[in-house]
């Protein structure tokens, strides 16, 4: 099967259209995706547990269509579920040795909605322990490698999902985003991601039920596929007090360049920016302007909010892991460091951080008022060696903690606005560079429309993968308690 004809590489919305039209079966799409898992996963380590019931799920979609029944809008699409999201009867380790054999009894809400919409769960995708980190590795499954260069990081924490998308193993990737986990790997792997408004896709079950800092969402090979998938899983749920008031509207397509007015900010975190990253973003800006868009540069500085985010992150970890604090030393370095940071906080610390968060939102709303969206680089650096937990320097400046380098994304997590990441091009080394698109409150449709317009100006190809990996291959792994 040639790359050009491989149905696994089609846009997700085209895969679904063909399945519904009878031009492609759900079973054949799943087999095409599994073939790419066999071909590339041994080297890249994106999918860590395969669903042994995936073929039966695909066959059920085909049977529904044959009986002239509607299996749902995502009929037959192959999805990867981040290994911090519960899947009934399918091992969910959270990337932690403490839960290496954990098998949930129930699906998380987002998984249930994906299944009800007709999607087929291929399996679980790799993540750092409890999604704590911008480089995808853990002691259960090891490192996930970048498909553009396997010696480099795929980003995190939804790194396995991004790699699986870029290599055609799945149609859509489910993930979560606290400080950038749906945007960082999208940038590093050359795909699209969206951090939606928290609660647009309710995150339940959750120990921290009133969590309004983390968001559940999707990555895809292009922004239109995100919009297509998001419409099937968005909407309120009585189990969650943090929910969108209504489902996503049925809008799609690209924002027109002519007549659009966008703002652009460079180094919003004041940590410096790699010259190649900046050059790729500026080349994209030039193409957007040549196409008729008005892009005004603004000197946005959100560096004052860095410490406030770290406070909120520490509080978030303690809220989620309060029942596990007695074994704090059993967790890996990233999780344990966050827990200790959170346990040292005072109510005054948390109150002050919340007020800084308010200031960030007010500043962004004021900036966005005359614009359709704000554009800014997603990552300040290109992918770094996969063996590193995090890059020690950015632009020659040393990083104080393992999250400093992801400040361009985590600062934009604070105001609760939708933020997309779309490929802006390649740097001089041939590595992807991502551009963030910040939308208005509950403006997911507009943010994705702007991201789609950007993706059409200079479309990014998928990585040229090397020869087939000759090492051990992943087989269906039976779920064991």
């Amino acid at each position: 099967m040639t790359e050009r004809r491989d149905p696994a590489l089609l846009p997700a919305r085209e895969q679904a259209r063909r399945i519904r039209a009878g031009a492609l079966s759900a079973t054949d799409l799943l087999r095409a995706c599994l073939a790419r898992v066999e071909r590339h996963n041994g080297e890249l380590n994106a999918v860590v547990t395969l669903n042994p019931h995936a073929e039966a799920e695909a066959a059920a979609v085909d049977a529904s269509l044959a009986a002239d029944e509607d299996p749902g809008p995502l009929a037959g699409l192959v999805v990867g579920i981040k290994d911090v999201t519960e899947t009934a009867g399918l091992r969910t380790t959270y990337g932690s040795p403490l839960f290496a054999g954990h098998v949930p009894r129930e699906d998380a809400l987002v998984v249930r909605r994906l299944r009800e919409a007709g999607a087929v769960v291929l399996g679980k995708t790799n993540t750092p322990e409890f999604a704590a980190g911008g480089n995808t590795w853990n002691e259960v499954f090891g490192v996930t490698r970048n498909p553009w260069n396997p010696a480099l990081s795929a980003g995190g924490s939804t790194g396995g999902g991004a790699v699986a998308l870029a290599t055609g193993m799945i149609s859509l990737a489910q993930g979560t985003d606290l400080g950038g986990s749906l945007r960082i790997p999208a940038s590093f792997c050359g795909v699209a991601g969206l951090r939606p408004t928290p609660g647009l896709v309710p995150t339940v079950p959750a120990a921290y039920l009133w969590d309004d800092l983390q968001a559940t969402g999707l990555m895809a090979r292009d922004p239109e596929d995100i919009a297509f998938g998001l419409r099937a899983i968005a909407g309120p749920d009585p189990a969650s007090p943090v929910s969108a008031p209504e489902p996503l509207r049925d809008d799609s397509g690209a924002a027109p360049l002519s007549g659009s007015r966008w703002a652009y900010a460079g180094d919003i975190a004041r940590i410096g920016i790699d010259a190649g990253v900046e050059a790729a973003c500026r080349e994209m800006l030039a193409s957007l302007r040549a196409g008729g868009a008005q892009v005004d540069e603004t000197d946005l500085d959100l560096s004052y909010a860095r410490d406030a985010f770290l406070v909120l992150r520490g509080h978030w970890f303690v809220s989620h892991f309060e029942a596990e604090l007695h074994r704090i030393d059993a967790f890996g370095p990233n999780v344990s460091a966050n827990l200790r940071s959170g346990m040292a906080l005072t109510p005054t610390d948390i109150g002050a951080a919340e007020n800084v968060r308010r200031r960030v939102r007010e500043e962004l709303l004021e900036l966005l008022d005359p614009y359709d969206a704000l554009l800014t680089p997603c990552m300040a650096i290109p992918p770094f060696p996969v063996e590193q937990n995090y890059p020690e320097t950015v632009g020659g400046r040393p990083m104080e903690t393992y999250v400093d380098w992801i400040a361009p994304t985590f600062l934009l997590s604070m105001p609760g606005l939708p933020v997309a990441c779309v490929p802006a091009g390649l740097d001089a080394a041939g590595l992807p560079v991502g551009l963030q698109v910040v939308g208005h409150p509950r403006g997911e449709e507009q943010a994705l429309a702007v991201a789609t317009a950007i993706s059409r100006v200079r479309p990014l190809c998928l990585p040229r993968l090397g020869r087939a990996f000759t090492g051990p291959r992943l087989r269906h792994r039976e779920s064991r308690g």
Side-chain angles (χ1 to χ4, degrees), residues 159-172:
V163 174
L165 280 171
T167 54
M169 299 180 195
I170 54 177
S171 311
L172 297 170

Side-chain angles (χ1 to χ4, degrees), residues 135-474:
N135 184 19
T136 297
W137 68 274
N138 60 63
E139 294 183 5
V140 183
F141 299 114
V143 300
T144 294
R145 298 177 178 275
N146 195 305
W148 294 80
N149 181 343
L152 303 179
S153 169
S157 62
T158 319
V163 174
L165 280 171
T167 54
M169 299 180 195
I170 54 177
S171 311
L172 297 170
Q174 177 273 337
T176 57
D177 187 309
L178 177 66
S181 293
L182 285 163
R183 293 165 283 158
I184 299 164
S187 180
F188 275 11
C189 295
V191 297
L194 174 74
R195 173 192 164 86
T197 305
L200 182 69
V201 183
T203 304
V204 287
Y208 183 15
L209 196 57
W210 276 261
D211 177 9
D212 61 359
L213 192 61
Q214 179 178 257
T216 294
L218 298 173
M219 289 188 295
R221 283 184 285 273
D222 66 48
E224 287 183 275
D225 276 353
I226 294 179
F228 179 70
L230 197 58
R231 285 193 290 272
I233 61 173
D237 186 88
S240 174
V242 183
S243 295
E246 59 186 24
L248 208 66
R249 295 191 300 272
D250 191 12
D251 296 341
S252 60
L257 291 184
S258 180
S260 292
R261 189 181 181 197
W262 302 330
Y264 175 79
D267 184 11
I268 65 170
R270 297 300 191 265
I271 61 171
I273 186 167
D274 177 81
V277 170
E278 184 174 23
C281 289
R282 291 201 170 276
E283 287 175 10
M284 175 58 79
L285 296 184
S287 297
L288 293 173
R289 288 168 175 147
Q294 178 182 338
V295 185
D296 299 333
E297 297 202 31
T298 181
D299 186 27
L300 177 65
D301 180 1
L302 298 180
S303 60
Y304 65 87
R306 170 194 171 277
D307 289 343
F309 175 81
L310 297 181
V311 168
L312 296 173
R313 182 183 176 92
H315 175 252
W316 184 93
F317 268 88
V318 172
S319 298
H320 270 282
F321 291 89
E322 186 271 336
E324 302 290 341
L325 294 180
H326 64 283
R327 53 176 178 174
I328 185 172
D329 292 329
F331 291 105
N334 292 354
V335 175
S336 60
N338 277 288
L339 288 173
R340 289 191 173 89
S341 174
M343 292 167 66
L345 297 174
T346 68
T348 301
D349 294 330
I350 297 171
E354 288 289 359
N355 277 298
V356 172
R357 187 182 186 191
R358 170 186 52 79
R359 178 182 166 190
V360 171
R361 182 178 174 92
E362 291 173 350
E363 184 172 355
L364 280 172
L365 291 183
E366 182 179 359
L367 186 154
L368 281 166
D369 185 54
Y371 295 104
D372 300 311
L374 165 68
L375 311 181
T376 185
C378 186
M379 290 284 92
I381 58 170
F384 53 89
V386 72
E387 292 83 7
Q388 296 180 10
N389 187 7
Y390 61 92
E392 296 180 355
T393 61
V394 174
R397 304 180 188 180
M399 298 290 99
E400 295 180 13
T401 75
Y402 84 96
V403 295
D404 284 357
W405 67 282
I406 63 171
T409 56
F410 74 58
L411 291 170
L412 293 176
S413 293
M414 298 179 74
L417 302 175
V419 189
C421 177
V422 62
L426 302 176
D427 67 7
L431 296 172
V433 173
L435 192 64
Q436 292 186 97
V437 179
V438 185
H440 287 262
R442 300 208 176 275
E444 278 78 10
E445 299 94 337
Q446 180 66 9
L448 289 170
V450 172
T452 297
I454 294 170
S455 69
R456 291 183 181 180
V457 167
R458 301 176 68 194
L460 184 65
C461 63
L462 293 175
R464 294 182 178 180
L465 301 167
R467 59 186 176 83
F469 183 69
T470 56
R473 296 180 175 184
L474 180 67

